[in-house]
Amino acid sequence: VQLQASGGGLVQPGGSLRLSCVASEFIWEYYAIGWFRQAPGKEREGVSCISSSDDRLYYADSVLGRFTISRDNDKNTVYLQMNSLKPEDTAVYYCATASKKGVQDGTCFPHGNWWGQGTLVTVSS
């Protein structure tokens, strides 16, 4: 398994969740890692991306200030800490390989076609 995501669930508005994505050594070396989400009837959205080799980060405007992406190089793991969750954050969240250059240029888009399984985040009272 190249990417393995976990951590979704049901949470009330204002609550928090942390998603985790474990990557293979190959992916960790050559790609950035991103979190993408897709809600029913909506297009897929790039939520946040992080490079494994520098401190460049990307956040979508919709999550800026509420979500924090981080990495643990010893564990080849990327985390997405989601705070102050809103009902509109409800979606299936996927981790995927992203372009390192894209993150350096301030963008976040899938690159390399490696995807973890989706994890459902439901924000509801």
Side-chain angles (χ1 to χ4, degrees):
V1 177
Q2 299 288 349
L3 287 170
Q4 188 163 7
S6 61
L10 172 64
V11 64
Q12 292 186 344
S16 298
L17 282 174
R18 188 177 79 159
L19 306 182
S20 300
C21 179
V22 182
S24 67
E25 287 284 349
F26 170 77
I27 285 177
W28 199 256
E29 180 174 355
Y30 291 106
Y31 293 95
I33 302 292
W35 287 99
F36 303 87
R37 68 184 181 186
Q38 187 159 24
K42 294 188 178 181
E43 292 190 357
R44 185 179 62 202
E45 175 187 19
V47 175
S48 184
C49 282
I50 186 168
S51 173
S52 61
S53 56
D54 58 38
D55 294 330
R56 299 298 181 97
L57 306 174
Y58 168 91
Y59 293 102
D61 289 343
S62 57
V63 306
L64 192 61
R66 301 187 297 120
F67 290 11
T68 302
I69 194 168
S70 61
R71 68 175 188 260
D72 184 332
N73 289 335
D74 292 334
K75 297 180 179 179
N76 289 5
T77 300
V78 171
Y79 302 100
L80 186 68
Q81 179 66 42
M82 305 185 295
N83 297 330
S84 303
L85 282 161
K86 305 176 181 179
E88 50 264 44
D89 294 317
T90 295
V92 178
Y93 285 70
Y94 301 89
C95 64
T97 48
S99 168
K100 281 191 176 183
K101 186 177 187 308
V103 178
Q104 292 169 356
D105 293 341
T107 62
C108 176
F109 57 88
H111 178 73
N113 206 33
W114 296 106
W115 292 82
Q117 77 280 17
T119 184
L120 177 63
V121 172
T122 303
V123 185
S124 175
S125 54

